[in-house]
Amino acid sequence: MRQSRRVDGATRSRRLRAVVLLLMLIAVAGAVSAARAAQQPVEQPRPMAATSSPTPGPVTPRPSTGSDSGPPPAATSPGEQHGRQVFLRDCAWCHGQHAQGTGVAPSLLDKGSAAIDFWLSTGRMPLKSPDQRAMKGPPAYSSRTISDIVDYLGSLGPGGKPIPVVHAGDEAEGQSLFITHCAACHNTSGTGVIVVNGAVAPQLYGEHPRQIAEAIRTGPGEMPAFSSHVVDQTQLDDLVAYASSLGDKQVRGGNGLDQYGPIFEGSIVWLIPVPVLIGVLLLLGQRRQKQ
């Protein structure tokens, strides 16, 4: 009887060891996969030379309408004239020569200077083709050219949010606001995550304060816009102060593990504490069998 119990105990011990080994192999594979994914940027930059002109994609010509006919209105200043030339060369393919929008791109007449500046200065626009995904990258134009395009489009349809003015803010207050309004999508450490349907809340490291403020006010893509009724000027300054410092915060204290995001952090939990706990349980079970 005792020999049978010993055999059963040895069998159970071997099975538990096999389960522990399997769990450790799964955890190691998950950690390696997560580490490889963490090394890749959330958004790949779109290669485009600063002076290049995007090649028009397979855009179906839009039937001409009354609002479409005739040349665009003349610009009133040298800067607007330059912005008009660049817009007609690179952007009218999709947005229409009057920026009135087409079947493949929205109207820009009511977007406002903050939205136009954000999309151009972050390199998300212009696209080489309308089926290309807008992703952050090096801007296609100089800051002067971007300002000229913003001024020209503002002369066509004034409206929307102006480019916000950002002042020095309180990082501690900004962290509290960030956790309340932003962490659900961008993660508490600003690493960014995939939200729904492939939509990406991008990583916030190294973002320019003005672009952060523009994103808060205009809500690019799937991001909601936060008006001054929700986030006032003081809170905007605090949010921008905290969000623009996230890249620096990763190296303070020596360990930047949290910059890899929740997937990698979760795999570390499965790789170290869980196997250790199972090993302790196995040792306790073996000691009980020997008694």
Side-chain angles (χ1 to χ4, degrees):
M1 182 66 71
R2 291 181 180 177
Q3 184 177 3
S4 176
R5 289 181 179 176
R6 289 178 182 176
V7 172
D8 291 342
T11 302
R12 286 196 298 270
S13 179
R14 285 195 298 269
R15 290 177 179 175
L16 286 174
R17 288 171 184 166
V19 170
V20 172
L21 179 61
L22 180 60
L23 289 174
M24 292 183 68
L25 290 175
I26 294 175
V28 170
V32 172
S33 176
R36 290 178 178 175
Q39 292 175 355
Q40 298 178 354
V42 176
E43 295 181 314
Q44 297 295 332
R46 172 177 51 83
M48 178 181 289
T51 58
S52 64
S53 173
T55 303
V59 181
T60 304
R62 185 170 179 263
S64 188
T65 63
S67 61
D68 234 356
S69 60
T76 58
S77 68
E80 288 183 12
Q81 291 174 5
H82 180 227
R84 175 180 181 270
Q85 292 173 357
V86 177
F87 176 83
L88 292 177
R89 184 191 70 192
D90 297 346
C91 312
W93 299 100
C94 296
H95 293 282
Q97 65 173 349
H98 295 287
Q100 78 284 353
T102 66
V104 295
S107 169
L108 301 178
L109 298 178
D110 59 348
K111 294 301 181 182
S113 56
I116 303 299
D117 182 76
F118 174 84
W119 286 94
L120 291 176
S121 63
T122 58
R124 290 176 167 86
M125 288 290 168
L127 300 178
K128 290 186 176 181
S129 64
D131 57 348
Q132 181 184 3
R133 186 181 182 90
M135 293 186 288
K136 181 185 176 183
Y141 311 114
S142 66
S143 58
R144 178 63 180 271
T145 299
I146 292 175
S147 178
D148 291 343
I149 297 173
V150 170
D151 290 342
Y152 171 67
L153 291 174
S155 70
L156 295 181
K161 299 292 184 181
I163 295 177
V165 178
V166 181
H167 309 91
D170 187 328
E171 287 188 22
E173 292 294 332
Q175 182 180 24
S176 177
L177 291 167
F178 186 89
I179 293 173
T180 301
H181 297 294
C182 314
C185 295
H186 292 282
N187 200 4
T188 54
S189 57
T191 54
V193 294
I194 297 177
V195 187
V196 291
N197 298 327
V200 175
Q203 187 182 80
L204 299 180
Y205 301 161
E207 295 292 340
H208 192 280
R210 188 189 74 252
Q211 295 169 354
I212 296 174
E214 289 171 342
I216 292 172
R217 287 297 188 227
T218 63
E222 291 79 10
M223 177 177 170
F226 295 88
S227 69
S228 58
H229 298 290
V230 179
V231 175
D232 61 27
Q233 182 62 49
T234 301
Q235 293 173 325
L236 178 68
D237 296 336
D238 295 342
L239 262 176
V240 172
Y242 175 74
S244 60
S245 69
L246 281 173
D248 297 333
K249 288 185 179 297
Q250 303 313 307
V251 297
R252 297 178 188 175
N255 193 333
L257 176 62
D258 58 343
Q259 67 181 326
Y260 293 106
I263 297 177
F264 185 79
E265 295 166 17
S267 64
I268 292 297
V269 172
W270 282 98
L271 180 63
I272 299 176
V274 172
V276 169
L277 178 60
I278 295 177
V280 171
L281 292 176
L282 286 175
L283 290 175
L284 292 176
Q286 291 176 353
R287 289 183 179 180
R288 186 175 182 179
Q289 291 174 6
K290 292 179 180 179
Q291 292 177 355

